[in-house]
Amino acid sequence: MKVRAAVCSGLHEPWRTEEIDIDEPHAHEVTVTMAYAGMCQSDEHLRTGDISADAETMALFGVTSMFPVIGGHEGAGVVEAVGENVSGLAPGDHVSVAFIPSCGSCHWCATGRQHLCDLGMYTLFGPMISDGTWRHHLGDTPLNRMTQLGTFAEKIVVNEASLVKIDPSSSLRATALISCGVSTGFGSAVDRGKVVPGEIVVVIGAGGVGSGAVQGARLAGASAIVVVDPVESKIERAKAIGATHGATNMVDATFLVAELSQGRMADVVILSPRVLTGDLVAPACAIGSKDARIVATAIAPMAQTSVDLNLFNLSMYNQSLLGTVFGSVSPRVQIPRLIKLYEQGHLMVDELITTEYSLDQVQQGYDDLAAGLNVRGMVDFAL
Ligand SMILES: NC(=O)c1ccc[n+]([C@@H]2O[C@H](COP(=O)([O-])OP(=O)(O)OC[C@H]3O[C@@H](n4cnc5c(N)ncnc54)[C@H](O)[C@@H]3O)[C@@H](O)[C@H]2O)c1
Ligand SMILES: [Zn+2]
Ligand SMILES: [Zn+2]
């Protein structure tokens, strides 16, 4: 079947709409007609090379390049067809995608930590996780898909482990945003940062993920939520969804938090800037209190190993530096939970969607994100 998809052909190349071929779903696979796809920063890391794997790593997976690749890993749509042995999904079902698959049987899934599912190791590139063959083709060239999804395509073929069934009455538009950015930010505050009522929370980077963190902190009862972002308009937008204070740089934020806390500093600090570089960690720890939880949510360049960190203070202040993937909760738990909070009016999602784009405008959407114009751009497949 021929469908249109936004494909990046190599490092620093733009997203271009291509007509591609997709095959029928094999066993354990599902074809989904996409309704909406959110434009998360992680896809840009592919283009910029932040998450480029080296040749030796790719060889382990039987590929020589991460390109060409279909972008997109946030999204929601409707099941069109199912392959053999698919359980729990049928044509017509509404689904959210999940950038970490849940196999249900590996050690991590069996112990309730589906966000750490072993299938996650296959997500950056390579063929289908079902049987190691390719389902998406650009002419004779097999296509990688961002996190085994590639939601910037009219139709996608994915493993059933990458889908979460949702209620047909739920908004597919809101679900698309909840499927990665909102869930990751929310979980960074609530599930990994474990914000409790009365605490002071700092969110560094107020984009799509940071907006989820701000709202997680608000719903957990934080007494102050300080966002740090060099773009003033992001601070204003964050205040509309629950941030109480803002600063455009860490120095101003540190003085502000010192004043708000009478010198005690912030209980939880969430690092959700565009790219996580090593120099951001020391200031994040410095704005934290004794016993603070510092949550590293943003993606760092894959090969980066050096970090600015005052190790003496880390131990003497009893601080915790925590990583998180998907906000440290199973997608099958977090996505329905946040859809419910959205439907009950507690979680603002529509407010985060700054601009909607057609599939042909994916590169425009990422240019607008880089220019600081968007909290989240959204591909609407009806446009
Ligand atoms: N851990 C995970 O599972 C996971 C999941 C999704 C996204 N991510 C990552 O989270 C990060 C944020 O994603 P996003 O989609 O919200 O990106 P985004 O581009 O929407 O937002 C990033 C924000 O950070 C701001 N910023 C840039 N440099 C900054 C700095 N030095 N200090 C403070 N703010 C700064 C930008 O102005 C922007 O508002 C990305 O690195 C993304 O890849 C991680
Ligand atoms: Zn994402
Ligand atoms: Zn698993």
Side-chain angles (χ1 to χ4, degrees):
M1 190 195 320
K2 296 220 179 288
V3 300
R4 291 160 65 250
V7 174
C8 177
S9 59
L11 271 185
H12 308 296
E13 292 295 325
W15 297 107
R16 278 201 198 92
T17 316
E18 304 277 5
E19 192 175 72
I20 67 163
D21 289 296
I22 59 170
D23 302 335
E24 292 300 313
H26 288 201
H28 297 292
E29 293 174 359
V30 180
T31 305
V32 178
T33 303
M34 295 304 300
Y36 296 95
M39 301 171 80
C40 177
Q41 183 64 234
S42 300
D43 301 281
E44 272 305 87
H45 292 309
L46 266 183
R47 270 189 356 110
T48 60
D50 287 334
I51 51 176
S52 290
D54 57 46
E56 280 177 8
T57 307
M58 285 190 284
L60 292 174
F61 294 86
V63 298
T64 51
S65 172
M66 296 172 74
F67 301 99
V69 59
I70 306 173
H73 64 284
E74 283 189 347
V78 180
V79 172
E80 180 180 295
V82 296
E84 285 173 19
N85 300 327
V86 169
S87 54
L89 286 174
D93 282 347
H94 288 202
V95 287
S96 169
V97 298
F99 77 86
I100 298 285
S102 304
C103 78
S105 58
C106 73
H107 168 78
W108 306 102
C109 285
T111 51
R113 292 171 284 179
Q114 284 91 341
H115 54 288
L116 302 177
C117 176
D118 280 341
L119 289 181
M121 72 187 284
Y122 300 104
T123 55
L124 277 186
F125 47 80
M128 302 298 288
I129 48 181
S130 333
D131 61 7
T133 61
W134 301 84
R135 223 64 77 230
H136 305 69
H137 318 271
L138 180 60
D140 295 334
T141 311
L143 282 159
N144 295 282
R145 295 144 300 131
M146 176 66 174
T147 67
Q148 287 283 339
L149 295 168
T151 54
F152 299 154
E154 291 167 324
K155 292 182 195 295
I156 60 174
V157 184
V158 297
N159 191 283
E160 59 182 330
S162 299
L163 296 173
V164 179
K165 188 172 167 176
I166 62 166
D167 195 285
S169 66
S170 296
S171 159
L172 289 168
R173 188 169 177 266
T175 299
L177 241 182
I178 288 170
S179 71
C180 170
V182 172
S183 287
T184 300
F186 187 98
S188 298
V190 173
D191 302 283
R192 196 58 161 150
K194 301 208 183 304
V195 175
V196 297
E199 288 193 321
I200 295 179
V201 178
V202 175
V203 178
I204 302 169
V209 172
S211 299
V214 165
Q215 297 197 72
R218 169 171 57 79
L219 287 167
S223 63
I225 304 167
V226 178
V227 291
V228 188
D229 200 297
V231 180
E232 295 265 11
S233 63
K234 301 281 179 107
I235 295 174
E236 292 316 309
R237 286 176 179 275
K239 285 183 177 169
I241 56 169
T244 56
H245 301 79
T248 54
N249 60 75
M250 284 303 289
V251 174
D252 289 353
T254 304
F255 280 111
L256 177 62
V257 170
E259 195 181 316
L260 285 171
S261 64
Q262 289 88 41
R264 196 164 49 85
M265 307 309 283
D267 302 281
V268 177
V269 182
I270 293 154
L271 274 162
S272 51
R274 182 167 299 143
V275 186
L276 186 52
T277 45
D279 57 312
L280 297 177
V281 176
C285 291
I287 207 171
S289 63
K290 287 183 271 191
D291 223 10
R293 288 87 76 199
I294 321 294
V295 183
T297 304
I299 289 184
M302 214 185 245
Q304 178 183 297
T305 52
S306 59
V307 168
D308 292 346
L309 179 64
N310 185 322
L311 273 175
F312 177 84
N313 284 350
L314 184 78
S315 44
M316 289 304 104
Y317 288 178
N318 206 58
Q319 290 183 332
S320 308
L321 181 56
L322 304 159
T324 185
V325 60
F326 194 71
S328 309
V329 190
S330 163
R332 294 191 194 283
V333 173
Q334 193 76 311
I335 292 170
R337 174 165 79 158
L338 297 195
I339 291 173
K340 185 60 77 185
L341 286 175
Y342 163 76
E343 289 171 348
Q344 292 173 338
H346 301 303
L347 186 68
M348 293 181 242
V349 179
D350 301 322
E351 290 78 355
L352 311 185
I353 301 168
T354 326
T355 315
E356 283 173 310
Y357 299 92
S358 69
L359 179 62
D360 293 326
Q361 294 174 307
V362 168
Q363 185 55 47
Q364 181 64 51
Y366 278 107
D367 289 345
D368 290 348
L369 181 66
L373 299 176
N374 287 352
V375 175
R376 256 304 182 264
M378 176 73 84
V379 177
D380 178 347
F381 286 88
L383 291 177

